[in-house]
Amino acid sequence: MILRALAALSVILGAGLTAEPALAADPVFTDTACPAEWPTGVREVRCCTLTVDEARDGSSERRIDVAVVIVKASTPYRDASGHRLPPVVNFHGGPGGASTPGVGRMLQAAQQNPDALAVDQDMIFFDQRGGGRGKPSMDCPGVELTDAGPPSDEDRDGLIACLRDYQAQGIDLNWYNAAAIADDVRDLVQVLGLEKIDLRGGSYGPRIEAAVITHQPQMVRAVVMDSPWPPEGNWAVGTPEQVSTAVRIILAKCAAQAECSARYPDMQARFETEARRWLSGPVTGKDGRTFNVDDLSAFLMDTTYSRVGVRRLPADLDRIIAGDLTPVAESAGNRTYYFEGQHMAHLCKEELPFESRARLAAGAAGDPVAEVLVPSLSRLFDVCDAIGERPADPIENAPVVTDIPTLFVAAEIDPGCPPALTEAAARGYANSQVVIVTNATHGVINASPCTRRMARDFLRDPSAPVDRSCLPAADTPLDFTLGLPAA
């Protein structure tokens, strides 16, 4: 009886032990060769790989690689206490972008302009898990995807097939999200023996910064957010209205200038009429090429993001209305700028579970420019429904509350990360400064020496007010590119 009882107890204990998650493995940091084509002698550069657990709860033994590049400061800055500033960890946008492949271009730029890269502080670039030069790198070749969603049913189906293929390879898409990346950053700080870091990111990068602030605040000294997307933002819901608002702002600036207004009169009303035509079915241009509302959707999103596109918008819309669809065709030629698998893993985990198709359509209803965006954005829900990721914890969709010093820099014209979203998010940051740049578009800081200096000065002393004297005044006219009138 005693032996039977001991045997039974052994089975019970053994079952309990096997039910417990495995212990997480230690992160491994490995030096690798930098690309041979990168210029040498500009900065001291270290290329590396961070190997971590895919599953952050220890439930899987699968390991993944994160690509890292460290660029040493040329002239390390010391604060009033004589201490060197911590490294700046850079967060790329997307989701589904990459950071390390661009370091070569930055080194080339620094050959001509030494102030362009890593002067005061070491810079750490890394490709967020699931993309860039890491492993896995979840690209979906042949599938098109923009911030307005898949531009066709074929692209939607291609995304579903691609994501299912990654799942079949054993990749757990549930672990490619902001909270897991925050843990990767913690491991990176640990293996490098750092006490503190500064954060800097643009677009979706601040979404990841917010996760680091939420989950690993102890290691953060100061934060810079450029054209930020906060956790509480809605990826699909509200985006059609944001694009419409960006178009309206641009065309109002044209209407306020005599030359632009004379060349492109009543453009807002004329384009709304044109948008209704595209909503009713495919449109064929003078050259015989045919496009549909999804093509116009992608054009509007990409154009209102772009500094060049914004200045061309009245002229481009005038051409489209006249039957010259070249601007739409040019936009359709480049719609594969994401690692699409990584992009959708994030959206299906931490964005779309908190939204709905009904709210998407209802918000755009009655505004023909906004309605143009609804079909392609709706396809995102189809993709997420098909791959079945677990929704993120609600904290991942909540506003951040922190006293970590943070500089927000946003563009006046931004269809994806509008200034109102920045101003609302900043209310939770007790020690924040908010700068909205007149006439600027998405990606503000590197667009001018003024904003680059502002970010640099902030990181030197996050307690000091940033100098805004170099910014354009609120009534500065937008410099439009006035093309020839459409034939």
Side-chain angles (χ1 to χ4, degrees):
M1 181 67 71
I2 294 175
L3 291 174
R4 288 184 179 179
L6 288 174
L9 180 61
S10 175
V11 170
I12 293 169
L13 291 175
L17 289 172
T18 56
E20 288 294 321
L23 291 176
D26 290 337
V28 176
F29 200 60
T30 308
D31 285 288
T32 61
C34 292
E37 66 272 17
W38 286 8
T40 58
V42 182
R43 293 285 188 277
E44 180 183 343
V45 181
R46 183 182 179 190
C47 295
C48 324
T49 297
L50 176 70
T51 302
V52 296
D53 287 345
E54 180 184 63
R56 278 306 184 167
D57 62 357
S59 60
S60 167
E61 295 182 357
R62 182 182 177 88
R63 304 277 274 170
I64 64 172
D65 291 338
V66 175
V68 180
V69 176
I70 302 171
V71 183
K72 303 295 288 186
S74 61
T75 313
Y77 182 83
R78 295 184 181 274
D79 62 19
S81 301
H83 297 111
R84 286 183 55 165
L85 301 182
V88 179
V89 179
N90 292 267
F91 296 80
H92 63 71
S99 181
T100 67
V103 174
R105 293 191 299 273
M106 296 179 195
L107 291 168
Q108 290 174 345
Q111 288 178 313
Q112 305 300 320
N113 178 15
D115 285 344
L117 176 66
V119 178
D120 296 338
Q121 300 167 266
D122 295 350
M123 308 291 283
I124 301 175
F125 302 89
F126 76 106
D127 298 334
Q128 296 155 23
R129 54 167 51 205
R133 294 167 56 242
K135 294 180 182 179
S137 185
M138 297 188 293
D139 200 14
C140 295
V143 175
E144 295 188 341
L145 178 67
T146 76
D147 282 351
S152 71
D153 288 347
E154 291 74 20
D155 291 309
R156 174 201 61 200
D157 296 343
L159 279 172
I160 293 171
C162 179
L163 289 163
R164 285 177 172 167
D165 183 58
Y166 283 121
Q167 289 175 321
Q169 295 174 35
I171 295 170
D172 188 346
L173 299 177
N174 291 289
W175 290 107
Y176 295 83
N177 59 70
I181 295 170
D183 286 340
D184 295 342
V185 175
R186 177 204 60 204
D187 285 352
L188 182 60
V189 168
Q190 174 188 322
V191 298
L192 292 175
L194 302 173
E195 293 184 6
K196 291 284 185 179
I197 54 173
D198 289 344
L199 313 181
R200 176 173 169 172
S203 194
Y204 207 82
R207 170 70 185 85
I208 313 301
E209 291 179 276
V212 175
I213 292 168
T214 298
H215 298 289
Q216 309 293 340
Q218 74 286 349
M219 62 190 187
V220 182
R221 182 193 73 118
V223 181
V224 174
M225 296 190 176
D226 181 355
S227 307
W229 179 255
E232 65 271 27
N234 289 316
W235 187 269
V237 172
T239 291
E241 299 97 295
Q242 290 169 189
V243 174
S244 181
T245 296
V247 170
R248 191 176 295 276
I249 290 171
I250 297 162
L251 297 184
K253 288 176 179 286
C254 174
Q257 298 181 34
E259 184 178 2
C260 190
S261 179
R263 184 166 296 204
Y264 310 114
D266 304 317
M267 183 54 71
Q268 181 68 41
R270 291 169 58 210
F271 182 57
E272 289 179 6
T273 299
E274 179 70 7
R276 292 186 182 94
R277 187 164 77 99
W278 286 73
L279 287 165
S280 66
V283 173
T284 301
K286 291 180 177 180
D287 62 1
R289 289 182 294 181
T290 298
F291 298 92
N292 61 32
V293 71
D294 297 313
D295 298 311
L296 184 62
S297 168
F299 162 77
L300 289 175
M301 175 64 81
D302 288 350
T303 297
T304 50
Y305 263 137
S306 162
R307 180 171 46 175
V308 173
V310 160
R311 285 157 173 75
R312 286 177 41 180
L313 184 65
D316 282 347
L317 293 183
D318 194 52
R319 294 171 69 184
I320 291 168
I321 292 168
D324 178 0
L325 306 186
T326 302
V328 177
E330 290 173 348
S331 173
N334 180 26
R335 300 194 297 212
T336 57
Y337 42 77
Y338 283 132
F339 292 87
E340 293 86 4
Q342 185 200 48
H343 180 95
M344 291 306 308
H346 278 270
L347 265 57
C348 295
K349 176 77 172 180
E350 58 203 15
E351 300 289 347
L352 296 181
F354 302 95
E355 307 178 35
S356 73
R357 302 169 196 260
R359 288 171 55 210
L360 167 66
D367 178 347
V369 178
E371 288 176 356
V372 164
L373 280 290
V374 172
S376 55
L377 285 167
S378 295
R379 295 190 185 98
L380 293 173
F381 293 95
D382 296 335
V383 177
C384 293
D385 289 346
I387 65 169
E389 279 190 72
R390 297 187 302 269
D393 188 284
I395 193 175
E396 306 302 337
N397 196 245
V400 173
V401 177
T402 182
D403 60 1
I404 295 173
T406 302
L407 174 64
F408 292 87
V409 184
E412 180 191 16
I413 304 168
D414 193 330
C417 305
L421 198 59
T422 294
E423 291 169 330
R427 295 186 190 115
Y429 290 71
N431 292 321
S432 66
Q433 301 183 57
V434 178
V435 177
I436 310 296
V437 183
T438 299
N439 293 333
T441 54
H442 192 75
V444 188
I445 289 177
N446 287 331
S448 76
C450 170
T451 43
R452 284 196 297 271
R453 184 170 63 253
M454 185 180 295
R456 181 179 176 184
D457 289 346
F458 173 79
L459 290 177
R460 284 182 166 187
D461 183 2
S463 66
V466 295
D467 181 5
R468 304 167 189 250
S469 61
C470 60
L471 295 173
D475 59 353
T476 302
L478 180 61
D479 184 17
F480 285 101
T481 301
L482 302 179
L484 294 173

